[in-house]
Amino acid sequence: MIPSQKISQIARSALLKEINLSPKPGLVDRYDNGAHSDMDHALFLESIDAISPFFSLFYESGCASTSSKETLNDLRKIGVKCENAMLSATNGVNTHKGGIFALGLLCGASGRLISNNQECTLKNVCIEVSRICDGLLRNDLRSGNERCAPPTAGQLIYRQYGFGGARAEAESGFLTVQRYALPAYRDALCDGYSVVESELIALISLISKNNDTNVISRSGIHGLNFSKCTAKKSLNTLRKKGFRDFETEVSNMNTVFVSRNISPGGSADLLSVMLFLVDFESYFLNGEGVC
C-alpha cells in the first residue's frame, strides 16, 4: 500500500476506534449519546465517511511542503474544506472539528517525515507536529486576545485559566498523550488487559490529567476539576479491584457527567491521536512501510 493510502487508513481507523469504544463518560459511543442531544453514533459514522478522503490530502500536502510554516498554512486550507464536508454531512453539527485539526496535523507531519527520508517513529512525528505548530498558541490565542472582538471561547479560556486547548497540545507535540495516555495504554497491555480495555484505561487517564477546554466551555472550571477527580478515583478502583469494577464505575461516571453537562471531547480527540500514533509506529517498526 502506498504511504498516502496507509496514513489515511490509520487516521480513519483512529476515529472509528474512538467512536466505537464504550463506555465513554459524557461522550457519544455505540450505546449512548453522552451529554449530547444533537449527535449520536450514526452521525459520527457519517461524519467519518465525509472527512476520511481528506486525510490523504493532508499527507500529500506535507509531502509537497518545503517548510514547517508552509505546511501549517496549506493544512489549514485543506482543513477548512474538510470541516465544510463534515458540516454538510452532519447538517451543521460539529462532530469532528478537533479530530480534523489533530489528525490533519499528524497526516501532514507524516508526509514531511516520509518525503524527507526521516525515521518514522512516534517521537519523530510528534516533533514534526510541534515544528509545524511553532508559534500557533501565541498567534491564535495570545495575540488574538487583543485583535478579536468579541474573543472566541478558546481565547476567553486561555485568558482566564491559561489553558491553550488543542493548539497547546499540538504545539507541544501532544505531550499529554506521550506523558499519560501512551504509558497507561502500554502498561495496561503489559498487565494483560485487552487492546480495547487498554484503550479505555488510556481515555480515563487522559480525562484525569487533561485540562480539557471542551469541558470548561460546557461546565466551567468546576466541571473540569470534578471530571479529573472522578477519573482519578476510577483509576484507583482499577488498581485496587480490577477492570470489571473499573468499567462499572466508568459507566456510572457517564450518568453523572450527563447530569452535569460534562463532555470531555478534548480527551476523546487526544485518544484518537494516541490511536493514530500507536498504529503509525507499529506499521513502520514492523517493516510494513518504507521510511
Side-chain angles (χ1 to χ4, degrees):
M1 183 179 292
I2 63 173
S4 64
Q5 292 176 333
K6 185 59 186 180
I7 297 301
S8 178
Q9 182 185 81
I10 290 172
R12 175 182 171 85
S13 176
L15 293 179
L16 289 171
K17 289 177 182 177
E18 186 281 320
I19 191 57
N20 287 327
L21 183 67
S22 61
K24 297 204 302 287
L27 298 162
V28 175
D29 60 30
R30 289 174 295 169
Y31 308 113
D32 192 279
N33 294 350
H36 299 275
S37 60
D38 60 345
M39 57 184 78
D40 57 18
H41 184 264
L43 190 69
F44 268 76
L45 294 181
E46 291 179 17
S47 176
I48 291 170
D49 282 343
I51 67 179
S52 289
F54 291 87
F55 293 135
S56 60
L57 301 181
F58 287 125
Y59 168 83
E60 290 164 4
S61 179
C63 286
S65 65
T66 58
S67 69
S68 297
K69 183 176 181 180
E70 177 186 289
T71 303
L72 180 61
N73 293 333
D74 291 343
L75 293 179
R76 278 181 149 165
K77 294 174 185 177
I78 300 169
V80 169
K81 295 178 182 178
C82 187
E83 284 185 19
N84 288 338
M86 172 195 74
L87 294 172
S88 178
T90 62
N91 292 317
V93 177
N94 173 18
T95 46
H96 283 108
K97 187 172 183 179
I100 291 169
F101 174 74
L103 293 175
L105 285 167
L106 285 165
C107 290
S110 301
R112 282 190 55 76
L113 289 184
I114 292 172
S115 64
N116 291 315
N117 296 314
Q118 297 182 51
E119 186 179 9
C120 289
T121 63
L122 184 156
K123 180 180 179 180
N124 281 351
V125 77
C126 287
I127 290 172
E128 187 58 37
V129 168
S130 182
R131 287 173 178 159
I132 291 170
C133 295
D134 182 42
L136 184 62
L137 188 62
R138 177 184 65 251
N139 294 332
D140 282 11
L141 295 186
R142 293 174 185 167
S143 300
N145 284 337
E146 301 170 358
R147 69 169 182 263
C148 287
T152 66
Q155 289 164 351
L156 289 172
I157 290 171
Y158 182 78
R159 180 188 298 173
Q160 187 168 4
Y161 303 111
F163 301 149
R167 294 175 180 86
E169 291 294 337
E171 191 167 355
S172 74
F174 300 115
L175 280 182
T176 301
V177 173
Q178 294 192 68
R179 287 176 177 169
Y180 304 114
L182 279 164
Y185 175 77
R186 289 166 172 164
D187 287 348
L189 289 175
C190 288
D191 289 341
Y193 293 111
S194 71
V195 170
V196 173
E197 290 170 344
S198 300
E199 290 169 359
L200 182 60
I201 292 168
L203 172 63
I204 303 305
S205 297
L206 282 167
I207 295 172
S208 77
K209 296 292 186 179
N210 182 31
N211 292 319
D212 195 326
T213 55
N214 290 57
V215 174
I216 296 175
S217 66
R218 293 172 64 99
S219 308
I221 193 67
H222 296 296
L224 176 65
N225 292 335
F226 176 82
S227 65
K228 292 169 78 172
C229 181
T230 306
K232 289 175 183 176
K233 289 180 180 178
S234 70
L235 291 170
N236 192 48
T237 296
L238 175 69
R239 287 188 290 269
K240 291 184 175 181
K241 298 183 178 180
F243 186 83
R244 295 308 159 208
D245 286 313
F246 165 75
E247 188 176 39
T248 298
E249 197 159 320
V250 172
S251 294
N252 293 335
M253 282 173 61
N254 181 58
T255 302
V256 177
F257 277 27
V258 170
S259 70
R260 291 174 174 253
N261 197 36
I262 295 172
S263 179
S267 294
D269 292 335
L270 292 181
L271 178 66
S272 296
V273 168
M274 187 203 79
L275 294 168
F276 178 98
L277 292 172
V278 167
D279 284 352
F280 175 85
E281 186 161 73
S282 174
Y283 177 69
F284 288 102
L285 286 183
N286 288 337
E288 298 174 63
V290 177
C291 187

